[in-house]
Amino acid sequence: MISIQNISKKYGAQQVLNKVNLEFSGGQSIALIGPNGSGKTTLIKSILGLVLADQGQINVQNQDISLGPDYRKIIGYMPQLSKFPEQMKVGQLFSLIKKIRRDIAQNEYDLSLYNDFGIAKMEGKSLGALSGGMKQQVSAALAFLFRPKIIILDEPTAGLDPISNSILKHKVNEARAQNCLLITTSHILNDLEEMCNHVVYLMDGKIVLNEEMKFIAETTGEANLNKMVIKFLQTGKIAKCKI
Amino acid sequence: MQNISFSIAADLLKNKAIFIYGLLLAVLGWGMFLIESQPEKTILALLQITLIVVPLMTSIFATIYYYNSAEFIQLLLIQPLKRRSIIWGIFAGLSSGFVLSFLVGIGLPLLLFYPTTASLHLILSGTFLSVIFTGLALLVSTHQQDKARSIGFVLLLWIFFTFIFDGILLWAMYQLADYPIEQSILFGTFLNPVSVARTLVVMQTEAAALLGLSGAIFKDFFGSLKGSFIAMLILIIWGILPYLFVKRKFLTRDF
Amino acid sequence: MLIRTAFFIISFCVHFSLGANTILVGKTLSVKSISHALTLAKDGDTILVRKGTYCEKTLMIKQSITLFTKESAKIDAQGVANDILVIFADNVRIKGFQFVNVGVSFLKEAAAIRLVHCKNVIVENNKIDSCFFGIYIEQAKNSIISDNQIRGAFKDEASAGNAIHAWKGDALSICNNFITGHRDGIYFEFVNNSFIENNKSQYNLRYGLHFMFSNDDGYENNIFQDNGAGVAVMFSRNIIMRNNWFIHNWGGASYGLLLKEISDGSIDKNHFIENTIGIMAEGANRLTISNNKFMLNGTAMDIKGNCLDNKIIQNDFVANTFEVVTNSKQNNNFFDENYWSNYSGYDLNRDSFGDIAYRPVNLFAKITNEVPSATFLLHSPFVRLMEIGEKIFPQFIPQSLMDKRPKIKPYAYD
């Protein structure tokens, strides 16, 4: 579904992405992890077209993304620390985005998160007045609204209460079951192990780990993703990984 | 995709700052006509407002808006929208908001209380200046990450175009008084949209004085429709040019 | 005026009572040309010309006759640069003709009608078209030029003649004429005690009206519009100028009224509208300029430093770009009780005059005087800024040029 070929990006002197190659396909739920500043967000933004890579090519469903914005029709994105225009009302936000996405008919909307999070009750509130968690709920509901085939979640669970957290996880797993591709970044690895089946570890703009979760668990003998990764990296398995 | 630009523009028009700006202009525009009984004097006062207040407010508001709507822009960018429709929506939305405020605040009282060709030219000037300074503000904002710096830079541009430029021109006229410099002055003025907008109106209100100038080029320029026509053409160029650079930057930058 | 006209009427009655003849001229009559009629006419006779076009060589009138037509007979000079009619005699009256096609010559100032050394002549109700000079007056006295229409179609000043040209005259009356397209509309040189009234002079290449070395004259109720350089009064004394309209005289060296080396006259109740310069005064002394209205001029009044003791009082200055301009730091003229629309003072004691004095000369006016192309910066915010500075710390403008009692409302509104 997504093919990332030889992507590099520099901010000034800092090499944020260094010849990254990745192939993702439907039914995968990717845990995109790595230390701060490792290039996770840049990679996501490159897929979304927010950041234009210096080198390389990204294909989404065999379509070069630099050719036009239409590929984003099948992508849902939930940004890190959802920021919205402050004075805009929640209802206005939804109607604006719906107006932009005329390609999806009204009866095709996926309203499950919208309903589960009770966003209808927030409609009259302005986005600036919402708490961080509520903004995340709005953001998540928007990301799934148009039934995307690819869903990118940047730190989705930060700020969500436990109930909302489990609603979202459930939704992610449901989507994966429907053969969607999910890419999730988070520092809370516990959350990821419940929703992901594949791990990509980025460090200094390079991929140091790109394996099925099951495989890592088997080789390390750990059940906890946190420990898995640490052990995997410490035991020098890096060398064996496809880079 | 034109619908999208329109949606963005429509959303922008709801902005409170634009409303406040319109209110300010309305107080000045309608107030002037209500307290001053001689419309010939009022139009000159409104000319000053148009030359000083419109560029200042437009560029400051546009800059602040651009930075404050960073999230909104990002939200739009992740939709299946072309970047060019987004930046066009922002430019068109901001410009039309400022133009609308100007038309209601200054244009309407002018048409009601003093419907002359001079008023019409003043309305045109204000409209052009609104668009031009929106473009200049976006030009600075898209090339500069820091909001405070951008505001500072936009203020400098404003001071340069409204005050310093004419000061330099006057200084040059004194230095070169013995040479035939009329033509160069005329061309020099084209480099400043505020001067061109001013000239467009002054050609109507003070033609008697302008025709006192001895240079044949002035007579040719001010004595006919050609002058207004050229002035408007230059204002149109000034409206388009900054936007082209804004677009170029917006299409290639990272968010 | 009235007395003079009455005098003419009486004198004509006297002629008729003496058994004067009327000679008829017509294409089908026995007298077929005016020149023939003139050989037959005696003092007091009347020559009545019937309809038709008469191609005459110069007609010399040496008797006191009335030459008139009721059917606007046309006298055509066919482009030859000779006068059509030359009046040498007193008490001649010319009425109702059309004069056309007097040719241009650089050797000879040929005119449709020439008055030479005569008095009590009346030239009225004639139409003069495409003639080098219209009516040329040499050393005439007590004569009336009225109700004529004089139209030229000249393109450049050097080869154009004046419509009514008077050189040495006394007690002339020029009234109700319509004049257009000549060099000067009316030109007076060494003409005294004369009066110009109710004329309209427009689109002339140089001046609508031009005085040179003429004293004790007056002009009233005339309209001077769109002339090359307005009206000029030069090297003259005691000219009374009242109730005239100076409109839309635009251009580089164009004025409503140019005063040059003149003294002791008055300029009263005139309108100066949309002129590049309303009044331009050089070496004008002891004039009273009062009750005029200056409106929408580039400069209302340009008063040079060599003007002394003029009184500028109770005028309305409305919406002029510059109100007063001068090239001097001194001021020797008296401004009082004028209305200045750029004045923004207040009137707390309610005497209808502003409580603080007004200085009508501003810094920018001075700048444009030194660097004319600076006019281009009119209404620039930068200029506004400089003017505010000059008001706070006066440096350049003449401090004594002020109106101590600026009127709050225009006189026109009272």
Side-chain angles (χ1 to χ4, degrees), chain B residues 54-67 87 90-91 94-95 98 129-144 146-147 149-155 157-158 161 238-239 242-243 246 253:
Chain B
V54 168
L56 175 66
M57 292 301 192
T58 316
S59 49
I60 294 284
F61 278 156
T63 308
I64 291 176
Y65 176 86
Y66 184 82
Y67 286 97
I87 191 63
I90 292 167
F91 176 65
L94 277 174
S95 313
F98 293 133
L129 284 180
S130 304
V131 177
I132 291 166
F133 276 85
T134 306
L136 288 173
L138 289 179
L139 182 64
V140 173
S141 308
T142 47
H143 283 77
Q144 172 68 48
D146 186 48
K147 182 173 167 182
R149 270 193 187 186
S150 277
I151 292 176
F153 202 75
V154 158
L155 274 175
L157 270 184
W158 171 72
F161 281 133
W238 261 108
Y243 174 68
V246 167
R253 67 170 292 187

Short mmCIF file of all heavy atoms in Angstrom, two decimals, chain B residues 54-67 87 90-91 94-95 98 129-144 146-147 149-155 157-158 161 238-239 242-243 246 253:
data_model
loop_
_atom_site.label_atom_id
_atom_site.label_comp_id
_atom_site.label_asym_id
_atom_site.label_seq_id
_atom_site.Cartn_x
_atom_site.Cartn_y
_atom_site.Cartn_z
N VAL B 54 -5.05 51.62 5.94
CA VAL B 54 -5.35 50.37 5.21
C VAL B 54 -4.11 49.47 5.07
O VAL B 54 -4.16 48.31 5.46
CB VAL B 54 -6.02 50.67 3.85
CG1 VAL B 54 -6.06 49.44 2.97
CG2 VAL B 54 -7.43 51.20 4.08
N PRO B 55 -2.99 50.00 4.56
CA PRO B 55 -1.82 49.11 4.46
C PRO B 55 -1.37 48.59 5.82
O PRO B 55 -1.03 47.41 5.95
CB PRO B 55 -0.74 50.02 3.85
CG PRO B 55 -1.49 51.09 3.15
CD PRO B 55 -2.73 51.32 3.96
N LEU B 56 -1.38 49.44 6.84
CA LEU B 56 -0.90 49.03 8.16
C LEU B 56 -1.76 47.89 8.71
O LEU B 56 -1.27 46.82 9.06
CB LEU B 56 -0.92 50.23 9.11
CG LEU B 56 -0.55 49.91 10.56
CD1 LEU B 56 0.90 49.48 10.65
CD2 LEU B 56 -0.80 51.10 11.46
N MET B 57 -3.07 48.16 8.79
CA MET B 57 -3.96 47.18 9.40
C MET B 57 -4.00 45.88 8.59
O MET B 57 -3.94 44.79 9.15
CB MET B 57 -5.38 47.75 9.49
CG MET B 57 -5.49 48.88 10.48
SD MET B 57 -5.00 48.34 12.13
CE MET B 57 -5.54 49.69 13.11
N THR B 58 -4.12 46.03 7.28
CA THR B 58 -4.21 44.85 6.43
C THR B 58 -2.99 43.95 6.63
O THR B 58 -3.13 42.75 6.82
CB THR B 58 -4.26 45.28 4.95
OG1 THR B 58 -5.14 46.37 4.83
CG2 THR B 58 -4.75 44.19 4.07
N SER B 59 -1.80 44.56 6.59
CA SER B 59 -0.62 43.70 6.63
C SER B 59 -0.42 43.11 8.03
O SER B 59 -0.03 41.95 8.16
CB SER B 59 0.63 44.45 6.15
OG SER B 59 0.73 45.69 6.79
N ILE B 60 -0.72 43.89 9.07
CA ILE B 60 -0.56 43.34 10.42
C ILE B 60 -1.57 42.21 10.66
O ILE B 60 -1.23 41.12 11.12
CB ILE B 60 -0.76 44.45 11.48
CG1 ILE B 60 0.35 45.49 11.38
CG2 ILE B 60 -0.80 43.85 12.89
CD1 ILE B 60 1.66 45.07 11.94
N PHE B 61 -2.83 42.47 10.34
CA PHE B 61 -3.86 41.44 10.54
C PHE B 61 -3.56 40.19 9.73
O PHE B 61 -3.71 39.08 10.21
CB PHE B 61 -5.24 41.98 10.17
CG PHE B 61 -5.88 42.80 11.25
CD1 PHE B 61 -6.84 43.75 10.94
CD2 PHE B 61 -5.53 42.63 12.58
CE1 PHE B 61 -7.43 44.52 11.94
CE2 PHE B 61 -6.12 43.39 13.59
CZ PHE B 61 -7.06 44.34 13.26
N ALA B 62 -3.14 40.38 8.49
CA ALA B 62 -2.88 39.23 7.63
C ALA B 62 -1.73 38.39 8.21
O ALA B 62 -1.79 37.16 8.21
CB ALA B 62 -2.55 39.68 6.21
N THR B 63 -0.70 39.08 8.71
CA THR B 63 0.43 38.35 9.29
C THR B 63 -0.01 37.56 10.51
O THR B 63 0.28 36.37 10.66
CB THR B 63 1.55 39.35 9.69
OG1 THR B 63 1.84 40.17 8.56
CG2 THR B 63 2.79 38.63 10.12
N ILE B 64 -0.72 38.24 11.42
CA ILE B 64 -1.17 37.56 12.64
C ILE B 64 -2.07 36.38 12.26
O ILE B 64 -1.94 35.29 12.80
CB ILE B 64 -1.93 38.55 13.55
CG1 ILE B 64 -0.93 39.57 14.10
CG2 ILE B 64 -2.62 37.81 14.68
CD1 ILE B 64 -1.57 40.65 14.93
N TYR B 65 -2.93 36.62 11.30
CA TYR B 65 -3.85 35.55 10.91
C TYR B 65 -3.07 34.34 10.41
O TYR B 65 -3.35 33.21 10.79
CB TYR B 65 -4.81 36.02 9.81
CG TYR B 65 -5.68 34.86 9.36
CD1 TYR B 65 -6.85 34.56 10.04
CD2 TYR B 65 -5.29 34.05 8.31
CE1 TYR B 65 -7.61 33.47 9.69
CE2 TYR B 65 -6.04 32.95 7.94
CZ TYR B 65 -7.20 32.67 8.63
OH TYR B 65 -7.94 31.59 8.28
N TYR B 66 -2.09 34.60 9.58
CA TYR B 66 -1.36 33.48 8.99
C TYR B 66 -0.73 32.61 10.08
O TYR B 66 -0.80 31.39 10.03
CB TYR B 66 -0.29 33.99 8.03
CG TYR B 66 0.44 32.87 7.33
CD1 TYR B 66 -0.11 32.28 6.21
CD2 TYR B 66 1.65 32.39 7.81
CE1 TYR B 66 0.53 31.23 5.58
CE2 TYR B 66 2.30 31.35 7.18
CZ TYR B 66 1.74 30.78 6.06
OH TYR B 66 2.37 29.74 5.44
N TYR B 67 -0.12 33.25 11.07
CA TYR B 67 0.53 32.46 12.12
C TYR B 67 -0.50 31.78 13.01
O TYR B 67 -0.32 30.65 13.44
CB TYR B 67 1.49 33.33 12.93
CG TYR B 67 2.73 33.62 12.13
CD1 TYR B 67 2.87 34.80 11.43
CD2 TYR B 67 3.74 32.67 12.05
CE1 TYR B 67 3.99 35.03 10.66
CE2 TYR B 67 4.88 32.90 11.28
CZ TYR B 67 5.00 34.08 10.59
OH TYR B 67 6.10 34.31 9.84
N ILE B 87 -3.49 27.92 -0.62
CA ILE B 87 -2.89 29.26 -0.48
C ILE B 87 -3.75 30.30 -1.21
O ILE B 87 -3.91 31.42 -0.76
CB ILE B 87 -1.40 29.29 -0.92
CG1 ILE B 87 -0.74 30.61 -0.53
CG2 ILE B 87 -1.25 29.07 -2.42
CD1 ILE B 87 -0.68 30.86 0.95
N ILE B 90 -6.54 31.15 1.07
CA ILE B 90 -6.11 32.05 2.16
C ILE B 90 -5.95 33.47 1.63
O ILE B 90 -6.46 34.43 2.22
CB ILE B 90 -4.78 31.55 2.77
CG1 ILE B 90 -5.02 30.23 3.51
CG2 ILE B 90 -4.20 32.58 3.70
CD1 ILE B 90 -3.75 29.50 3.89
N PHE B 91 -5.27 33.57 0.50
CA PHE B 91 -5.04 34.91 -0.08
C PHE B 91 -6.36 35.57 -0.47
O PHE B 91 -6.65 36.71 -0.13
CB PHE B 91 -4.12 34.78 -1.30
CG PHE B 91 -3.87 36.06 -2.05
CD1 PHE B 91 -3.19 37.10 -1.45
CD2 PHE B 91 -4.32 36.21 -3.35
CE1 PHE B 91 -2.96 38.28 -2.14
CE2 PHE B 91 -4.09 37.38 -4.04
CZ PHE B 91 -3.41 38.41 -3.44
N LEU B 94 -8.51 36.34 2.76
CA LEU B 94 -8.04 37.52 3.50
C LEU B 94 -8.28 38.79 2.69
O LEU B 94 -8.83 39.76 3.20
CB LEU B 94 -6.54 37.38 3.79
CG LEU B 94 -6.16 36.54 5.01
CD1 LEU B 94 -4.65 36.38 5.07
CD2 LEU B 94 -6.65 37.20 6.29
N SER B 95 -7.89 38.79 1.41
CA SER B 95 -8.05 39.99 0.59
C SER B 95 -9.51 40.39 0.54
O SER B 95 -9.86 41.56 0.75
CB SER B 95 -7.59 39.77 -0.85
OG SER B 95 -6.37 39.16 -0.87
N PHE B 98 -10.66 41.96 3.74
CA PHE B 98 -10.21 43.35 3.92
C PHE B 98 -10.89 44.28 2.94
O PHE B 98 -11.27 45.41 3.28
CB PHE B 98 -8.69 43.43 3.75
CG PHE B 98 -7.93 42.72 4.83
CD1 PHE B 98 -6.89 41.87 4.53
CD2 PHE B 98 -8.26 42.91 6.16
CE1 PHE B 98 -6.19 41.21 5.53
CE2 PHE B 98 -7.58 42.26 7.17
CZ PHE B 98 -6.54 41.40 6.85
N LEU B 129 -4.93 48.53 -2.54
CA LEU B 129 -3.98 48.51 -1.42
C LEU B 129 -4.27 47.35 -0.47
O LEU B 129 -3.36 46.72 0.06
CB LEU B 129 -4.03 49.84 -0.66
CG LEU B 129 -3.33 51.01 -1.35
CD1 LEU B 129 -3.45 52.27 -0.51
CD2 LEU B 129 -1.85 50.70 -1.58
N SER B 130 -5.56 47.05 -0.27
CA SER B 130 -5.92 45.92 0.61
C SER B 130 -5.33 44.63 0.05
O SER B 130 -4.71 43.85 0.78
CB SER B 130 -7.44 45.78 0.72
OG SER B 130 -8.02 46.97 1.16
N VAL B 131 -5.51 44.42 -1.23
CA VAL B 131 -5.02 43.18 -1.85
C VAL B 131 -3.49 43.15 -1.82
O VAL B 131 -2.87 42.14 -1.46
CB VAL B 131 -5.53 43.07 -3.30
CG1 VAL B 131 -4.96 41.83 -3.97
CG2 VAL B 131 -7.05 43.02 -3.33
N ILE B 132 -2.88 44.29 -2.20
CA ILE B 132 -1.41 44.33 -2.29
C ILE B 132 -0.77 44.05 -0.94
O ILE B 132 0.16 43.26 -0.83
CB ILE B 132 -0.96 45.71 -2.83
CG1 ILE B 132 -1.37 45.85 -4.29
CG2 ILE B 132 0.54 45.89 -2.67
CD1 ILE B 132 -1.28 47.26 -4.82
N PHE B 133 -1.29 44.68 0.11
CA PHE B 133 -0.64 44.50 1.41
C PHE B 133 -0.96 43.15 2.05
O PHE B 133 -0.20 42.65 2.87
CB PHE B 133 -0.92 45.69 2.34
CG PHE B 133 0.04 46.81 2.08
CD1 PHE B 133 -0.21 47.74 1.08
CD2 PHE B 133 1.22 46.90 2.78
CE1 PHE B 133 0.70 48.74 0.80
CE2 PHE B 133 2.14 47.90 2.50
CZ PHE B 133 1.88 48.82 1.52
N THR B 134 -2.08 42.54 1.66
CA THR B 134 -2.32 41.16 2.07
C THR B 134 -1.23 40.29 1.45
O THR B 134 -0.62 39.44 2.12
CB THR B 134 -3.69 40.67 1.57
OG1 THR B 134 -4.68 41.59 2.02
CG2 THR B 134 -4.00 39.30 2.12
N GLY B 135 -0.98 40.49 0.17
CA GLY B 135 0.04 39.72 -0.53
C GLY B 135 1.41 39.91 0.10
O GLY B 135 2.14 38.94 0.33
N LEU B 136 1.75 41.18 0.41
CA LEU B 136 3.07 41.45 0.99
C LEU B 136 3.20 40.79 2.37
O LEU B 136 4.25 40.24 2.72
CB LEU B 136 3.30 42.97 1.10
CG LEU B 136 3.54 43.69 -0.22
CD1 LEU B 136 3.58 45.19 -0.03
CD2 LEU B 136 4.86 43.21 -0.84
N ALA B 137 2.11 40.85 3.15
CA ALA B 137 2.15 40.23 4.49
C ALA B 137 2.36 38.73 4.36
O ALA B 137 3.16 38.14 5.09
CB ALA B 137 0.86 40.53 5.24
N LEU B 138 1.64 38.09 3.43
CA LEU B 138 1.81 36.65 3.24
C LEU B 138 3.21 36.32 2.73
O LEU B 138 3.80 35.31 3.09
CB LEU B 138 0.76 36.11 2.27
CG LEU B 138 -0.68 36.08 2.80
CD1 LEU B 138 -1.63 35.56 1.74
CD2 LEU B 138 -0.77 35.23 4.05
N LEU B 139 3.73 37.24 1.91
CA LEU B 139 5.08 37.04 1.39
C LEU B 139 6.07 36.95 2.54
O LEU B 139 6.93 36.07 2.60
CB LEU B 139 5.43 38.20 0.45
CG LEU B 139 6.79 38.13 -0.23
CD1 LEU B 139 6.86 36.95 -1.16
CD2 LEU B 139 7.07 39.41 -1.00
N VAL B 140 5.94 37.88 3.48
CA VAL B 140 6.84 37.86 4.64
C VAL B 140 6.56 36.62 5.48
O VAL B 140 7.48 35.91 5.87
CB VAL B 140 6.63 39.15 5.47
CG1 VAL B 140 7.42 39.06 6.76
CG2 VAL B 140 7.07 40.37 4.67
N SER B 141 5.29 36.34 5.73
CA SER B 141 4.94 35.24 6.64
C SER B 141 5.38 33.89 6.11
O SER B 141 5.81 33.03 6.89
CB SER B 141 3.44 35.21 6.87
OG SER B 141 2.97 36.46 7.27
N THR B 142 5.25 33.68 4.82
CA THR B 142 5.62 32.36 4.30
C THR B 142 7.13 32.17 4.25
O THR B 142 7.60 31.05 4.20
CB THR B 142 5.06 32.12 2.88
OG1 THR B 142 5.34 33.27 2.09
CG2 THR B 142 3.57 31.89 2.89
N HIS B 143 7.87 33.26 4.27
CA HIS B 143 9.32 33.14 4.20
C HIS B 143 9.99 33.21 5.57
O HIS B 143 11.19 33.14 5.67
CB HIS B 143 9.91 34.23 3.30
CG HIS B 143 9.72 33.93 1.84
ND1 HIS B 143 8.52 34.10 1.21
CD2 HIS B 143 10.56 33.45 0.92
CE1 HIS B 143 8.64 33.76 -0.05
NE2 HIS B 143 9.86 33.34 -0.26
N GLN B 144 9.20 33.35 6.61
CA GLN B 144 9.78 33.61 7.92
C GLN B 144 9.04 32.76 8.94
O GLN B 144 7.81 32.78 8.99
CB GLN B 144 9.63 35.12 8.20
CG GLN B 144 10.00 35.54 9.59
CD GLN B 144 11.50 35.39 9.82
OE1 GLN B 144 12.29 35.82 9.01
NE2 GLN B 144 11.87 34.75 10.91
N ASP B 146 9.29 32.94 12.30
CA ASP B 146 8.99 33.58 13.57
C ASP B 146 7.95 34.68 13.41
O ASP B 146 8.11 35.60 12.62
CB ASP B 146 10.29 34.14 14.16
CG ASP B 146 10.06 34.69 15.54
OD1 ASP B 146 9.44 33.98 16.35
OD2 ASP B 146 10.47 35.84 15.80
N LYS B 147 6.88 34.59 14.20
CA LYS B 147 5.77 35.54 14.09
C LYS B 147 6.21 36.97 14.43
O LYS B 147 5.92 37.92 13.71
CB LYS B 147 4.67 35.10 15.05
CG LYS B 147 3.43 35.93 15.05
CD LYS B 147 2.40 35.23 15.92
CE LYS B 147 1.22 36.10 16.25
NZ LYS B 147 0.28 35.40 17.14
N ARG B 149 9.12 38.36 14.40
CA ARG B 149 9.99 38.90 13.36
C ARG B 149 9.19 39.33 12.15
O ARG B 149 9.47 40.36 11.53
CB ARG B 149 11.00 37.84 12.93
CG ARG B 149 12.26 37.87 13.72
CD ARG B 149 13.25 37.02 13.00
NE ARG B 149 14.47 36.84 13.77
CZ ARG B 149 15.53 36.23 13.30
NH1 ARG B 149 15.49 35.72 12.09
NH2 ARG B 149 16.60 36.11 14.04
N SER B 150 8.24 38.50 11.78
CA SER B 150 7.41 38.83 10.62
C SER B 150 6.67 40.13 10.83
O SER B 150 6.60 40.97 9.94
CB SER B 150 6.40 37.72 10.36
OG SER B 150 7.00 36.70 9.64
N ILE B 151 6.09 40.30 12.02
CA ILE B 151 5.35 41.53 12.29
C ILE B 151 6.29 42.73 12.20
O ILE B 151 5.96 43.76 11.62
CB ILE B 151 4.65 41.45 13.66
CG1 ILE B 151 3.53 40.41 13.58
CG2 ILE B 151 4.09 42.80 14.07
CD1 ILE B 151 2.81 40.16 14.87
N GLY B 152 7.48 42.55 12.76
CA GLY B 152 8.47 43.62 12.68
C GLY B 152 8.80 43.97 11.23
O GLY B 152 8.83 45.14 10.84
N PHE B 153 8.97 42.95 10.45
CA PHE B 153 9.35 43.16 9.05
C PHE B 153 8.23 43.82 8.26
O PHE B 153 8.47 44.73 7.46
CB PHE B 153 9.72 41.81 8.42
CG PHE B 153 10.59 41.95 7.22
CD1 PHE B 153 11.93 42.26 7.37
CD2 PHE B 153 10.07 41.81 5.95
CE1 PHE B 153 12.74 42.42 6.25
CE2 PHE B 153 10.86 41.97 4.84
CZ PHE B 153 12.20 42.27 4.99
N VAL B 154 7.01 43.38 8.55
CA VAL B 154 5.85 43.95 7.87
C VAL B 154 5.70 45.44 8.24
O VAL B 154 5.41 46.29 7.39
CB VAL B 154 4.58 43.14 8.25
CG1 VAL B 154 3.33 43.96 8.04
CG2 VAL B 154 4.54 41.87 7.43
N LEU B 155 5.96 45.74 9.52
CA LEU B 155 5.90 47.15 9.96
C LEU B 155 6.94 47.98 9.21
O LEU B 155 6.67 49.10 8.78
CB LEU B 155 6.16 47.24 11.46
CG LEU B 155 4.93 47.07 12.36
CD1 LEU B 155 5.35 47.07 13.82
CD2 LEU B 155 3.93 48.18 12.10
N LEU B 157 8.17 47.38 6.28
CA LEU B 157 7.70 47.55 4.90
C LEU B 157 6.68 48.69 4.83
O LEU B 157 6.71 49.52 3.93
CB LEU B 157 7.00 46.27 4.41
CG LEU B 157 7.84 45.23 3.73
CD1 LEU B 157 6.96 44.09 3.24
CD2 LEU B 157 8.59 45.83 2.54
N TRP B 158 5.79 48.70 5.80
CA TRP B 158 4.75 49.74 5.84
C TRP B 158 5.38 51.13 5.97
O TRP B 158 5.06 52.04 5.22
CB TRP B 158 3.80 49.47 7.00
CG TRP B 158 2.83 50.57 7.26
CD1 TRP B 158 1.76 50.91 6.49
CD2 TRP B 158 2.87 51.51 8.33
NE1 TRP B 158 1.11 51.99 7.03
CE2 TRP B 158 1.77 52.37 8.15
CE3 TRP B 158 3.72 51.69 9.43
CZ2 TRP B 158 1.50 53.42 9.04
CZ3 TRP B 158 3.43 52.73 10.31
CH2 TRP B 158 2.34 53.58 10.10
N PHE B 161 7.09 52.07 2.66
CA PHE B 161 6.22 52.44 1.53
C PHE B 161 5.41 53.70 1.80
O PHE B 161 5.18 54.49 0.90
CB PHE B 161 5.28 51.28 1.19
CG PHE B 161 5.93 50.20 0.38
CD1 PHE B 161 5.78 48.88 0.70
CD2 PHE B 161 6.72 50.53 -0.72
CE1 PHE B 161 6.38 47.88 -0.05
CE2 PHE B 161 7.32 49.54 -1.48
CZ PHE B 161 7.16 48.21 -1.14
N TRP B 238 1.17 44.99 -8.95
CA TRP B 238 1.59 44.95 -7.54
C TRP B 238 0.72 43.99 -6.74
O TRP B 238 1.13 43.47 -5.70
CB TRP B 238 1.50 46.35 -6.92
CG TRP B 238 2.81 47.05 -6.88
CD1 TRP B 238 3.21 48.09 -7.65
CD2 TRP B 238 3.91 46.76 -6.01
NE1 TRP B 238 4.49 48.46 -7.32
CE2 TRP B 238 4.93 47.65 -6.31
CE3 TRP B 238 4.11 45.82 -5.01
CZ2 TRP B 238 6.14 47.65 -5.66
CZ3 TRP B 238 5.32 45.82 -4.34
CH2 TRP B 238 6.33 46.72 -4.67
N GLY B 239 -0.50 43.78 -7.17
CA GLY B 239 -1.37 42.85 -6.48
C GLY B 239 -0.99 41.40 -6.77
O GLY B 239 -1.07 40.54 -5.91
N PRO B 242 3.47 39.84 -5.54
CA PRO B 242 3.80 39.20 -4.25
C PRO B 242 3.14 37.84 -4.13
O PRO B 242 3.76 36.88 -3.65
CB PRO B 242 3.23 40.15 -3.20
CG PRO B 242 3.10 41.45 -3.90
CD PRO B 242 2.83 41.14 -5.34
N TYR B 243 1.91 37.73 -4.63
CA TYR B 243 1.21 36.45 -4.51
C TYR B 243 1.94 35.32 -5.25
O TYR B 243 1.99 34.19 -4.77
CB TYR B 243 -0.23 36.58 -5.01
CG TYR B 243 -0.93 35.24 -5.02
CD1 TYR B 243 -1.23 34.59 -3.82
CD2 TYR B 243 -1.23 34.58 -6.20
CE1 TYR B 243 -1.81 33.35 -3.80
CE2 TYR B 243 -1.83 33.34 -6.20
CZ TYR B 243 -2.11 32.71 -5.00
OH TYR B 243 -2.68 31.48 -4.99
N VAL B 246 4.52 34.18 -3.01
CA VAL B 246 3.91 33.48 -1.89
C VAL B 246 3.59 32.04 -2.32
O VAL B 246 3.88 31.08 -1.63
CB VAL B 246 2.62 34.20 -1.45
CG1 VAL B 246 1.81 33.32 -0.51
CG2 VAL B 246 2.96 35.52 -0.78
N ARG B 253 7.40 24.45 0.57
CA ARG B 253 7.93 24.43 1.93
C ARG B 253 7.38 23.25 2.73
O ARG B 253 6.41 22.60 2.35
CB ARG B 253 7.63 25.76 2.64
CG ARG B 253 6.16 25.99 2.91
CD ARG B 253 5.97 27.17 3.81
NE ARG B 253 6.48 26.86 5.14
CZ ARG B 253 6.34 27.67 6.18
NH1 ARG B 253 5.74 28.84 6.02
NH2 ARG B 253 6.78 27.33 7.37
#
